[in-house]
Amino acid sequence: MQFAKRLQPLQSNVFADMDRAKAIALAAGQEVIDLSLGSSDLPAEAHVIEAIAQSLHDRSTHGYLLFNGTQGFRQAAANWYEQKFGIKVDPQTEVLPLIGSQEGTAHLPLAILNPGDFALLLDPGYPSHTGGVYLASGQIYPMPLLAENGFLPVFADIPAPVLAQSRMMVLSYPHNPTSAIAPLSFFQEAVAFCQQHNLALVHDFPYVDLVFEETRESADSSFNPKSLVPSILQADPEKSVSIEFFTLSKSYNMGGFRIGYAIGNAQLIKALRQVKAAVDFNQYRGILNGAIAALTGPQAGVKSTVATFQQRRDAFITALHRIGWNVPTPKATMYIWAKLPSAWSQNSIEFCTQLVKQTGVAASPGAGFGKSGEGYVRFALVHEPPLLETAVERIAQFLH
């Protein structure tokens, strides 16, 4: 049986390899502390669960859900965005429900790229960004993210021949895996660059709320005071070239419910909607009812989630410093991006494989996020501080 060539770049998956390494460690009797996946261990709020539970008993929610049936959710998303960033959004033409933001980032290239067109992606970056380009038979130009540049790409370094064939740029700040944040001035530069070169500007924004309080002191004075990090649409309020993807997975601990949405340029929204219409219907209406409850209800749970991850970050960083691994303190996300000791600086995959084999601590190798991720490892803060400190104790034994 012959398969499409577009599958070839998808065959190598470091995270699948790490999953096998975890399974081997478990089979060998290791107690695994899994810090490799950014899946929150915290529960969704009670009022969200209640809204979904009530929907189950409403037989009108049991059928297919078409676009017009998502009006309530789209309106809630538009209102949430306007309250947070102060920019008007048309829920009819500028909002699209998604089965998690990953659906959006993976499917949008199908609407933008012709075979051979380039997409400009962050390196390191989130794997679905590359996967969507490969499925669209596009080419990837990786924009290296270096510590000396604050893990921001340098647009001037993109070669002119690549730009001539490029159709889209994908950004994502706060950034997974590096945890970097970007100022509004950077987004303004990105918007101007994409306008100049006729590129669609895609911003994946899952960590909009997972930003820690001390960032406020150093925040750009032009930030909306209600948000510690900017939206791409604050740099492109006319929505001339930009689309932004949100998810309820991180802020509201609803990862398993698969609910997100896109906001932005009406033409990009329409194009993505056309792709989506060929692939799937919307989620069960009850999940959208839960999402409406999350966006419109009490936001204390979001603040509690942020406080929890800040406490975990502080505990993990303190423990790493105690063992002599001097990792910078991240300002956002649920991750620690740690530069590997020199002995492992060119082999993050082997580091993670041996770490889980010998200690049971599972982490994500930087190389899994792109060539420029080599030399780093990502830890996800998805356990309580005592277990995180135990993980660091095991890491110390492994390193020494």
mmCIF file of all heavy atoms in Angstrom, residues 273-298:
data_model
loop_
_atom_site.group_PDB
_atom_site.id
_atom_site.type_symbol
_atom_site.label_atom_id
_atom_site.label_comp_id
_atom_site.label_asym_id
_atom_site.label_seq_id
_atom_site.Cartn_x
_atom_site.Cartn_y
_atom_site.Cartn_z
ATOM 1 N N ARG A 273 -12.933 28.481 8.273
ATOM 2 C CA ARG A 273 -14.270 27.884 8.423
ATOM 3 C C ARG A 273 -14.575 26.938 7.256
ATOM 4 O O ARG A 273 -15.182 25.883 7.449
ATOM 5 C CB ARG A 273 -15.313 29.001 8.501
ATOM 6 C CG ARG A 273 -16.731 28.510 8.716
ATOM 7 C CD ARG A 273 -17.705 29.687 8.785
ATOM 8 N NE ARG A 273 -19.078 29.232 8.645
ATOM 9 C CZ ARG A 273 -20.124 30.039 8.471
ATOM 10 N NH1 ARG A 273 -19.942 31.360 8.438
ATOM 11 N NH2 ARG A 273 -21.341 29.535 8.340
ATOM 12 N N GLN A 274 -14.127 27.296 6.039
ATOM 13 C CA GLN A 274 -14.347 26.427 4.889
ATOM 14 C C GLN A 274 -13.611 25.105 5.045
ATOM 15 O O GLN A 274 -14.146 24.031 4.719
ATOM 16 C CB GLN A 274 -13.900 27.146 3.603
ATOM 17 C CG GLN A 274 -14.826 28.275 3.189
ATOM 18 C CD GLN A 274 -14.278 29.046 2.000
ATOM 19 O OE1 GLN A 274 -13.160 29.556 2.022
ATOM 20 N NE2 GLN A 274 -15.062 29.137 0.932
ATOM 21 N N VAL A 275 -12.358 25.170 5.544
ATOM 22 C CA VAL A 275 -11.615 23.936 5.789
ATOM 23 C C VAL A 275 -12.303 23.118 6.868
ATOM 24 O O VAL A 275 -12.507 21.898 6.726
ATOM 25 C CB VAL A 275 -10.159 24.246 6.192
ATOM 26 C CG1 VAL A 275 -9.436 22.973 6.619
ATOM 27 C CG2 VAL A 275 -9.410 24.922 5.048
ATOM 28 N N LYS A 276 -12.678 23.781 7.943
ATOM 29 C CA LYS A 276 -13.313 23.095 9.070
ATOM 30 C C LYS A 276 -14.609 22.406 8.629
ATOM 31 O O LYS A 276 -14.897 21.280 9.066
ATOM 32 C CB LYS A 276 -13.579 24.095 10.188
ATOM 33 C CG LYS A 276 -14.174 23.500 11.458
ATOM 34 C CD LYS A 276 -14.311 24.548 12.546
ATOM 35 C CE LYS A 276 -15.048 23.993 13.754
ATOM 36 N NZ LYS A 276 -14.344 22.856 14.392
ATOM 37 N N ALA A 277 -15.371 23.061 7.772
ATOM 38 C CA ALA A 277 -16.643 22.497 7.324
ATOM 39 C C ALA A 277 -16.453 21.187 6.570
ATOM 40 O O ALA A 277 -17.331 20.319 6.578
ATOM 41 C CB ALA A 277 -17.382 23.505 6.452
ATOM 42 N N ALA A 278 -15.297 21.039 5.920
ATOM 43 C CA ALA A 278 -15.016 19.809 5.183
ATOM 44 C C ALA A 278 -14.514 18.686 6.076
ATOM 45 O O ALA A 278 -14.512 17.517 5.673
ATOM 46 C CB ALA A 278 -13.981 20.097 4.092
ATOM 47 N N VAL A 279 -14.089 19.045 7.303
ATOM 48 C CA VAL A 279 -13.428 18.076 8.177
ATOM 49 C C VAL A 279 -14.332 17.590 9.308
ATOM 50 O O VAL A 279 -14.344 16.407 9.657
ATOM 51 C CB VAL A 279 -12.132 18.686 8.765
ATOM 52 C CG1 VAL A 279 -11.501 17.747 9.784
ATOM 53 C CG2 VAL A 279 -11.149 19.007 7.656
ATOM 54 N N ASP A 280 -15.100 18.502 9.920
ATOM 55 C CA ASP A 280 -15.853 18.110 11.110
ATOM 56 C C ASP A 280 -17.052 19.030 11.340
ATOM 57 O O ASP A 280 -17.187 20.078 10.697
ATOM 58 C CB ASP A 280 -14.946 18.135 12.355
ATOM 59 C CG ASP A 280 -14.338 19.502 12.623
ATOM 60 O OD1 ASP A 280 -15.097 20.477 12.756
ATOM 61 O OD2 ASP A 280 -13.102 19.597 12.695
ATOM 62 N N PHE A 281 -17.928 18.614 12.238
ATOM 63 C CA PHE A 281 -18.925 19.496 12.818
ATOM 64 C C PHE A 281 -18.297 20.125 14.072
ATOM 65 O O PHE A 281 -17.145 19.888 14.399
ATOM 66 C CB PHE A 281 -20.185 18.722 13.192
ATOM 67 C CG PHE A 281 -20.985 18.270 12.001
ATOM 68 C CD1 PHE A 281 -20.926 16.959 11.551
ATOM 69 C CD2 PHE A 281 -21.807 19.161 11.325
ATOM 70 C CE1 PHE A 281 -21.655 16.538 10.466
ATOM 71 C CE2 PHE A 281 -22.551 18.746 10.224
ATOM 72 C CZ PHE A 281 -22.471 17.433 9.786
ATOM 73 N N ASN A 282 -19.085 20.907 14.776
ATOM 74 C CA ASN A 282 -18.599 21.479 16.028
ATOM 75 C C ASN A 282 -18.724 20.452 17.148
ATOM 76 O O ASN A 282 -19.296 19.364 16.972
ATOM 77 C CB ASN A 282 -19.396 22.737 16.358
ATOM 78 C CG ASN A 282 -19.117 23.842 15.362
ATOM 79 O OD1 ASN A 282 -18.051 24.443 15.374
ATOM 80 N ND2 ASN A 282 -20.067 24.109 14.478
ATOM 81 N N GLN A 283 -18.203 20.815 18.322
ATOM 82 C CA GLN A 283 -18.297 19.943 19.483
ATOM 83 C C GLN A 283 -19.762 19.779 19.916
ATOM 84 O O GLN A 283 -20.661 20.467 19.437
ATOM 85 C CB GLN A 283 -17.546 20.521 20.694
ATOM 86 C CG GLN A 283 -16.102 20.771 20.503
ATOM 87 C CD GLN A 283 -15.841 22.162 20.012
ATOM 88 O OE1 GLN A 283 -16.563 22.697 19.185
ATOM 89 N NE2 GLN A 283 -14.780 22.755 20.517
ATOM 90 N N TYR A 284 -19.935 18.902 20.863
ATOM 91 C CA TYR A 284 -21.224 18.764 21.540
ATOM 92 C C TYR A 284 -21.606 20.113 22.151
ATOM 93 O O TYR A 284 -20.773 20.791 22.776
ATOM 94 C CB TYR A 284 -21.090 17.684 22.623
ATOM 95 C CG TYR A 284 -22.226 17.622 23.594
ATOM 96 C CD1 TYR A 284 -23.528 17.471 23.151
ATOM 97 C CD2 TYR A 284 -21.999 17.730 24.963
ATOM 98 C CE1 TYR A 284 -24.583 17.419 24.052
ATOM 99 C CE2 TYR A 284 -23.037 17.684 25.868
ATOM 100 C CZ TYR A 284 -24.332 17.529 25.401
ATOM 101 O OH TYR A 284 -25.373 17.501 26.286
ATOM 102 N N ARG A 285 -22.867 20.493 21.981
ATOM 103 C CA ARG A 285 -23.319 21.806 22.440
ATOM 104 C C ARG A 285 -23.098 21.996 23.945
ATOM 105 O O ARG A 285 -22.829 23.106 24.415
ATOM 106 C CB ARG A 285 -24.800 21.996 22.116
ATOM 107 C CG ARG A 285 -25.295 23.418 22.395
ATOM 108 C CD ARG A 285 -26.812 23.507 22.295
ATOM 109 N NE ARG A 285 -27.291 23.225 20.958
ATOM 110 C CZ ARG A 285 -27.451 24.155 20.005
ATOM 111 N NH1 ARG A 285 -27.160 25.422 20.275
ATOM 112 N NH2 ARG A 285 -27.903 23.824 18.820
ATOM 113 N N GLY A 286 -23.176 20.931 24.718
ATOM 114 C CA GLY A 286 -22.971 21.040 26.160
ATOM 115 C C GLY A 286 -21.580 21.545 26.512
ATOM 116 O O GLY A 286 -21.410 22.280 27.488
ATOM 117 N N ILE A 287 -20.577 21.160 25.711
ATOM 118 C CA ILE A 287 -19.221 21.649 25.961
ATOM 119 C C ILE A 287 -19.150 23.151 25.702
ATOM 120 O O ILE A 287 -18.514 23.897 26.452
ATOM 121 C CB ILE A 287 -18.205 20.866 25.108
ATOM 122 C CG1 ILE A 287 -18.097 19.423 25.623
ATOM 123 C CG2 ILE A 287 -16.846 21.543 25.116
ATOM 124 C CD1 ILE A 287 -17.202 18.535 24.801
ATOM 125 N N LEU A 288 -19.829 23.613 24.650
ATOM 126 C CA LEU A 288 -19.875 25.051 24.406
ATOM 127 C C LEU A 288 -20.600 25.774 25.531
ATOM 128 O O LEU A 288 -20.213 26.889 25.904
ATOM 129 C CB LEU A 288 -20.537 25.340 23.059
ATOM 130 C CG LEU A 288 -19.553 25.507 21.888
ATOM 131 C CD1 LEU A 288 -18.872 24.176 21.582
ATOM 132 C CD2 LEU A 288 -20.252 26.033 20.648
ATOM 133 N N ASN A 289 -21.638 25.147 26.084
ATOM 134 C CA ASN A 289 -22.324 25.752 27.230
ATOM 135 C C ASN A 289 -21.378 25.876 28.423
ATOM 136 O O ASN A 289 -21.397 26.867 29.159
ATOM 137 C CB ASN A 289 -23.558 24.939 27.607
ATOM 138 C CG ASN A 289 -24.671 25.060 26.570
ATOM 139 O OD1 ASN A 289 -24.682 25.993 25.770
ATOM 140 N ND2 ASN A 289 -25.602 24.115 26.571
ATOM 141 N N GLY A 290 -20.552 24.857 28.631
ATOM 142 C CA GLY A 290 -19.550 24.934 29.690
ATOM 143 C C GLY A 290 -18.538 26.026 29.420
ATOM 144 O O GLY A 290 -18.112 26.749 30.331
ATOM 145 N N ALA A 291 -18.146 26.176 28.149
ATOM 146 C CA ALA A 291 -17.178 27.210 27.783
ATOM 147 C C ALA A 291 -17.770 28.608 27.982
ATOM 148 O O ALA A 291 -17.073 29.530 28.430
ATOM 149 C CB ALA A 291 -16.738 27.023 26.334
ATOM 150 N N ILE A 292 -19.045 28.766 27.665
ATOM 151 C CA ILE A 292 -19.713 30.054 27.905
ATOM 152 C C ILE A 292 -19.704 30.366 29.398
ATOM 153 O O ILE A 292 -19.417 31.499 29.810
ATOM 154 C CB ILE A 292 -21.160 30.023 27.358
ATOM 155 C CG1 ILE A 292 -21.154 29.947 25.829
ATOM 156 C CG2 ILE A 292 -21.943 31.243 27.837
ATOM 157 C CD1 ILE A 292 -22.516 29.651 25.228
ATOM 158 N N ALA A 293 -19.994 29.351 30.215
ATOM 159 C CA ALA A 293 -19.968 29.546 31.676
ATOM 160 C C ALA A 293 -18.572 29.953 32.138
ATOM 161 O O ALA A 293 -18.415 30.802 33.025
ATOM 162 C CB ALA A 293 -20.419 28.271 32.380
ATOM 163 N N ALA A 294 -17.529 29.354 31.526
ATOM 164 C CA ALA A 294 -16.151 29.696 31.906
ATOM 165 C C ALA A 294 -15.823 31.146 31.556
ATOM 166 O O ALA A 294 -15.266 31.883 32.366
ATOM 167 C CB ALA A 294 -15.171 28.748 31.217
ATOM 168 N N LEU A 295 -16.180 31.565 30.339
ATOM 169 C CA LEU A 295 -15.810 32.897 29.864
ATOM 170 C C LEU A 295 -16.616 34.005 30.528
ATOM 171 O O LEU A 295 -16.120 35.122 30.693
ATOM 172 C CB LEU A 295 -15.988 32.975 28.344
ATOM 173 C CG LEU A 295 -15.049 32.103 27.503
ATOM 174 C CD1 LEU A 295 -15.463 32.134 26.038
ATOM 175 C CD2 LEU A 295 -13.606 32.559 27.648
ATOM 176 N N THR A 296 -17.873 33.704 30.877
ATOM 177 C CA THR A 296 -18.761 34.752 31.403
ATOM 178 C C THR A 296 -18.930 34.699 32.913
ATOM 179 O O THR A 296 -19.427 35.653 33.506
ATOM 180 C CB THR A 296 -20.157 34.649 30.762
ATOM 181 O OG1 THR A 296 -20.739 33.368 31.097
ATOM 182 C CG2 THR A 296 -20.080 34.775 29.244
ATOM 183 N N GLY A 297 -18.512 33.604 33.550
ATOM 184 C CA GLY A 297 -18.718 33.421 34.982
ATOM 185 C C GLY A 297 -17.582 33.986 35.811
ATOM 186 O O GLY A 297 -16.730 34.742 35.320
ATOM 187 N N PRO A 298 -17.533 33.620 37.090
ATOM 188 C CA PRO A 298 -16.463 34.103 37.982
ATOM 189 C C PRO A 298 -15.089 33.709 37.446
ATOM 190 O O PRO A 298 -14.896 32.593 36.963
ATOM 191 C CB PRO A 298 -16.764 33.389 39.308
ATOM 192 C CG PRO A 298 -18.184 32.942 39.217
ATOM 193 C CD PRO A 298 -18.471 32.705 37.770
#
